[in-house]
Amino acid sequence: MKLKIYPCPGHCNVSMMTKTVAQYFGIIDEENITILPHISMNILQEVEAAGDSEKYISLNGCPSTCASMAYEDMGYELYDEIVMTPDYDIKHNEKYTNLEDIDEEIEHVQKALDKIIASY
């Protein structure tokens, strides 16, 4: 199964961390994981053409779930959702000023992806 991940589209540090984590997965498994730079109006046709061979995932930086809302704005609601941080705490912005120490976040996403893949 191929995964298509749309990371948080924002520009705060939490969003930058989310994009960095997504890029990590896109690099380590570029054959099976595609990082979507945006969600287009064509998503419904893409999903229909792919059938069960692709799974779409929203990778949200915080509970605002902006990546998920982008899917829904285009009329697609059959995505899986991962939320990176549990709250809106400003400490997250401070923590992600340096994006070199994100091993915990990568592990969080790996566990979530493993669950998503196992459910199909």
Side-chain angles (χ1 to χ4, degrees):
M1 169 182 304
K2 294 191 184 260
L3 303 176
K4 295 205 172 185
I5 300 174
Y6 179 57
C8 177
H11 297 288
C12 70
N13 289 345
V14 172
S15 175
M16 293 295 133
M17 174 273 298
T18 304
K19 290 174 187 160
T20 302
V21 169
Q23 289 171 350
Y24 168 82
F25 284 97
I27 290 170
I28 64 163
D29 192 0
E30 61 187 41
E31 194 170 305
N32 295 310
I33 297 177
T34 301
I35 308 307
L36 302 174
H38 64 280
I39 302 296
S40 71
M41 292 297 288
N42 297 330
I43 191 163
L44 296 177
Q45 290 108 2
E46 292 171 17
V47 169
E48 285 179 12
D52 291 337
S53 66
E54 293 180 348
K55 185 66 188 153
Y56 288 78
I57 298 168
S58 67
L59 187 58
N60 296 289
C62 73
S64 290
T65 63
C66 296
S68 297
M69 286 189 283
Y71 279 126
E72 291 173 13
D73 287 347
M74 297 300 158
Y76 183 59
E77 296 181 1
L78 299 176
Y79 59 88
D80 282 285
E81 181 177 71
I82 300 170
V83 178
M84 297 297 298
T85 60
D87 54 36
Y88 304 97
D89 195 334
I90 194 68
K91 288 185 281 186
H92 293 306
N93 276 336
E94 294 170 8
K95 178 180 179 185
Y96 299 123
T97 301
N98 178 350
L99 294 174
E100 295 174 7
D101 184 22
I102 56 173
D103 292 339
E104 288 178 34
E105 291 76 8
I106 289 170
E107 184 178 335
H108 172 74
V109 172
Q110 184 63 64
K111 286 179 183 177
L113 291 175
D114 290 345
K115 285 181 186 178
I116 290 168
I117 292 167
S119 70
Y120 290 94

